[in-house]
Amino acid sequence: TVANAEGLRAADIGKNTSTSDPFTQVKVGKTSQKTKIIKKNLDPVWNESFVFETNNWRDEQVDVEVFDHDMMSKNDKLGMTFFRLGEIGVSADGKAKGGSYDLQGPQAQGKINMAYSVHKDKPTLTGGVFPGHNGHLKTPTVSTSGGKVGGDADVDGDVDVEGKKRGGFG
């Protein structure tokens, strides 16, 4: 789940404004997915979940890039980060783990906050990112091939002990 970013660089600098129109692209293997564009915001909140299938999740690299959307020219890269799920302590028990990552790259500033989980069974997506009753975000995130997506959890890594799923994807 791409929760939010904080302190992004202003890429759209005008006479009376300095801002960005950020979106995030997450890539696992050959598959990539993008968040929506948040206009004129240096601290965007996306709260968007994605599901990726992979046969070897421990070694799979997750690439996260944040861009400023431009209508008339090429999108500006605001920063990036990457990690391997097996290196950051994620296990295949369905429990979500959250993380905050400093953005890297030329002129990068700010950080991105994310949550992720891995499930071994066949994918069944029944939930997304939703404000919970206590204001925390609920999310399923990464699936392995033949894996089940579930395990609602707060972005800060606390597992939802109620086991409730809200909304749906299909």
Side-chain angles (χ1 to χ4, degrees), residues 12-19:
D12 300 332
I13 300 174
K15 187 173 184 178
N16 296 319
T17 183
S18 293
T19 189

Side-chain angles (χ1 to χ4, degrees), residues 33-135:
Q33 298 187 50
K34 297 178 184 177
T35 64
K36 64 186 177 252
I37 298 164
I38 306 291
K39 297 212 178 253
K40 298 182 180 182
N41 197 317
L42 301 178
D43 299 300
V45 176
W46 291 286
N47 295 332
E48 292 186 43
S49 289
F50 304 113
V51 176
F52 298 91
E53 289 193 40
T54 178
N55 290 320
N56 190 6
W57 66 270
R58 283 182 186 87
D59 295 329
E60 197 76 67
Q61 181 165 301
V62 179
D63 295 315
V64 182
E65 295 180 288
V66 181
F67 294 92
D68 168 56
H69 179 263
D70 288 323
M71 299 265 297
M72 301 300 209
S73 62
K74 184 177 178 182
N75 294 329
D76 301 307
K77 187 182 281 191
L78 298 177
M80 64 161 301
T81 190
F82 59 91
F83 51 88
R84 294 189 192 288
L85 292 174
E87 293 174 356
I88 58 173
V90 174
S91 63
D93 61 5
K95 293 182 180 179
K97 178 174 176 70
S100 181
Y101 301 91
D102 290 331
L103 294 174
Q104 303 169 11
Q107 300 180 344
Q109 71 181 49
K111 63 182 179 178
I112 190 160
N113 299 304
M114 302 179 64
Y116 23 82
S117 61
V118 176
H119 302 265
K120 290 193 248 184
D121 303 322
K122 185 173 181 177
T124 307
L125 186 55
T126 57
V129 177
F130 306 97
H133 67 281
N134 58 2

